[in-house]
Amino acid sequence: MALLDELNAQMKAAMIAKDKATLTVVRSLKSAIVNEQIKVGHDLTSDEEKSVLATQLKQRKESVAEFKKGGRDDLVAGTAAEITFIEQFLPAQMDEAEVSALIDQVIQSTHASGKSDFGTVMKALMPQVKGRADGAMVNRLVKAKLG
């Protein structure tokens, strides 16, 4: 519940400052968290809250890509600001070098040798990078390393 408390504080501050952009994103995040609570039927754990935020972040990153493709630069800036806001609640993201080193460790520990071991490597790797690395990047790096 600490995240909801933090979001409530951010919402009050945004209301006082009359910051409509922040207020909109805070309300969106609160709504997503409450909807997930209703869906699972209990208060969310910290990991579940982070998962909801990661989903919201991913949606916004996909939106930015679509806006750029469509030439909607006016929407890119606002969505980029939302991304920055959401990232403050998530753990620092791992870069490609860190993920690559972790993949090497997992490949060595699972004795993976080729493409047929992709599932084994991903199963061992994903819990270690969950919420800290983009799944598409992890997928791409594992495929490259397994040949």
Side-chain angles (χ1 to χ4, degrees):
M1 288 297 280
L3 180 60
L4 278 178
D5 294 338
E6 175 66 24
L7 288 174
N8 281 330
Q10 293 275 350
M11 187 168 69
K12 287 176 188 173
M15 285 177 174
I16 291 170
K18 297 187 182 343
D19 182 355
K20 289 183 180 180
T22 301
L23 188 58
T24 300
V25 72
V26 170
R27 285 180 172 157
S28 172
L29 294 176
K30 280 187 62 178
S31 175
I33 290 171
V34 170
N35 286 339
E36 186 66 17
Q37 282 180 337
I38 292 168
K39 181 178 161 188
V40 298
H42 61 79
D43 287 345
L44 301 180
T45 65
S46 178
D47 287 341
E48 290 170 328
E49 289 175 339
K50 288 177 185 172
S51 178
V52 170
L53 289 180
T55 301
Q56 294 294 310
L57 182 65
K58 181 179 179 185
Q59 288 174 353
R60 282 165 175 80
K61 285 183 177 181
E62 290 169 353
S63 294
V64 166
E66 291 298 317
F67 293 153
K68 285 181 180 177
K69 194 165 46 170
R72 295 294 311 266
D73 295 334
D74 56 323
L75 297 175
V76 170
T79 308
E82 290 181 13
I83 289 171
T84 303
F85 182 82
I86 296 170
E87 285 176 338
Q88 74 181 341
F89 297 105
L90 293 170
Q93 294 292 297
M94 298 172 73
D95 62 14
E96 282 197 30
E98 292 172 309
V99 174
S100 183
L102 192 54
I103 291 170
D104 290 336
Q105 292 174 2
V106 171
I107 288 174
Q108 187 177 18
S109 68
T110 60
H111 306 293
S113 59
K115 290 182 181 181
S116 62
D117 295 319
F118 177 81
T120 305
V121 172
M122 290 298 284
K123 184 177 180 181
L125 182 64
M126 287 311 288
Q128 297 178 45
V129 299
K130 183 174 176 78
R132 300 186 318 145
D134 178 46
M137 176 186 63
V138 173
N139 190 322
R140 178 178 46 83
L141 292 173
V142 170
K143 284 182 179 176
K145 288 192 179 282
L146 292 177

